[in-house]
Amino acid sequence: MIKHFQRPLDFLLFSNIFISLGAFAQALVSYRLLGFAPSWSVAAFLFFSTLLTYNFSILIQKPKNPENSEYRRVRWIFRNYKLNVAITGLAGLALVPLFLSLNFKAQLLNVFLAVLSFGYALPLFKSKGRKFGLRNIPAVKLFMIALVWALSSVCLPYFELQSRGNFVLPSVDLLILILKRFLFVVAITIPFDIRDMFQDAMFELKTIPTIFGERKAYLFCQTMLAVYLVLLFLFQNKGFNSDFFGLMLTVMLTGWLIFKSKWERNEYYYFFYLDGTLILQLVMMVLMGWVL
């Protein structure tokens, strides 16, 4: 199947449109869990901000000979450099009116997240004659990515709902929702670090796999998903409804995909199946809503 759809699939995955659709889906998941109709402008903001951030992050880290990279994604991105710059520029333009449409609290949060995101990629700091970004600080890379995803996909919808009226979610419920999103993103991100652990070691990036090894990193993934399931069972304000079963099934499937990633080194597996679980959460919740 991949051979027949390889070119459009490469464009979808390697231009970062697919992962941006994951951010869009996560916004809709949050609105569904909060029990309100979504704001499409907030979902669109998350889509374009993810597209801008991910493309910017890789475009400024161009390797010396990208055409010789072992990764198909890197070869594709820099072979289509102008296209990716254009996509990044269009995403930036689309963000301007969307940012202005957000309420003040959401705008402040996005400024903070933007600083984290660009600080992650840019070599803003210097030590012993070497420049480095936040991603070079031991074990920060993984948790920073997960924190940005969790805060943006949960808090932006919540702040937008607050601006509609007197909607208030108990602090504990909001924190649990953020924590569950954080745990899920951590779990699906670690396999990428495991895949890149030898390259990360060359560049002296201290990730979970390079610090603790591959086996413990996989165990850490499954532990994150197990804690997610525990929180899912313990904090059910609406009971065991279709959303609960949709999320539970997604977590179980994600655990299987992560386990299988031990033997799968194909880039499509990571960027389609693992990143696709961000979209799958929404799909499974909707499907369970039809079934139950």
Side-chain angles (χ1 to χ4, degrees):
M1 182 193 75
I2 288 179
K3 289 183 179 179
H4 295 290
F5 299 101
Q6 194 164 39
R7 291 185 67 182
L9 189 61
D10 284 353
F11 172 75
L12 182 67
L13 298 181
F14 301 152
S15 66
N16 289 312
I17 289 176
F18 189 68
I19 187 66
S20 300
L21 289 173
F24 185 91
Q26 287 297 297
L28 300 188
V29 168
S30 293
Y31 278 110
R32 188 178 178 95
L33 292 174
L34 293 170
F36 288 85
S39 165
W40 299 107
S41 61
V42 169
F45 181 87
L46 284 171
F47 172 86
F48 286 113
S49 60
T50 303
L51 189 59
L52 173 67
T53 304
Y54 272 65
N55 277 343
F56 176 81
S57 178
I58 194 166
L59 288 174
I60 66 168
Q61 299 179 58
K62 184 178 180 179
K64 289 183 178 180
N65 298 296
E67 66 278 2
N68 297 326
S69 173
E70 62 179 305
Y71 296 118
R72 182 181 182 87
R73 177 175 180 248
V74 174
R75 297 195 303 271
W76 186 93
I77 288 171
F78 291 102
R79 188 170 63 247
N80 299 277
Y81 183 81
K82 291 182 179 179
L83 173 63
N84 283 284
V85 169
I87 291 173
T88 307
L90 290 172
L93 290 175
L95 280 174
V96 175
L98 291 170
F99 177 81
L100 295 176
S101 70
L102 298 175
N103 63 69
F104 184 66
K105 287 173 69 174
Q107 289 177 341
L108 282 180
L109 174 63
N110 273 293
V111 170
F112 169 70
L113 295 178
V115 171
L116 281 184
S117 298
F118 290 113
Y120 165 83
L122 292 171
L124 300 175
F125 309 100
K126 190 173 182 179
S127 176
K128 298 179 181 179
R130 296 183 59 184
K131 292 184 177 181
F132 64 95
L134 293 175
R135 69 199 300 264
N136 297 92
I137 300 175
V140 163
K141 175 184 174 182
L142 169 69
F143 297 110
M144 183 174 293
I145 291 173
L147 180 65
V148 171
W149 272 84
L151 291 178
S152 60
S153 64
V154 173
C155 292
L156 285 186
Y158 177 65
F159 290 157
E160 189 274 330
L161 287 174
Q162 281 190 319
S163 69
R164 292 188 195 181
N166 296 319
F167 174 72
V168 177
L169 188 69
S171 298
V172 173
D173 292 344
L174 181 61
L175 288 173
I176 292 298
L177 191 56
I178 293 171
L179 179 58
K180 286 193 295 184
R181 195 67 49 86
F182 177 85
L183 292 171
F184 188 81
V185 175
V186 166
I188 65 172
T189 303
I190 289 178
F192 288 84
D193 285 343
I194 294 173
R195 185 200 64 167
D196 299 335
M197 63 185 298
F198 297 109
Q199 179 177 288
D200 287 343
M202 288 175 57
F203 289 100
E204 299 182 2
L205 291 179
K206 301 296 183 181
T207 63
I208 296 295
T210 59
I211 295 173
F212 299 105
E214 183 174 347
R215 183 178 177 183
K216 290 183 178 179
Y218 277 117
L219 180 61
F220 189 72
C221 286
Q222 303 296 357
T223 302
M224 294 298 98
L225 292 179
V227 174
Y228 182 105
L229 281 177
V230 170
L231 293 175
L232 191 62
F233 272 93
L234 292 179
F235 296 93
Q236 277 302 310
N237 295 333
K238 298 180 181 179
F240 298 101
N241 58 9
S242 59
D243 291 342
F244 168 84
F245 288 107
L247 292 174
M248 183 184 70
L249 289 173
T250 304
V251 169
M252 293 172 67
L253 179 58
T254 302
W256 178 78
L257 287 171
I258 291 172
F259 177 77
K260 195 172 182 232
S261 70
K262 289 183 180 181
W263 299 279
E264 284 283 356
R265 302 300 178 183
N266 188 297
E267 285 182 83
Y268 296 110
Y269 189 86
Y270 291 89
F271 290 104
F272 184 72
Y273 289 112
L274 286 178
D275 280 347
T277 57
L278 295 166
I279 301 173
L280 184 64
Q281 277 194 335
L282 178 64
V283 172
M284 291 301 291
M285 290 167 73
V286 172
L287 285 178
M288 287 298 101
W290 289 344
V291 172
L292 301 178

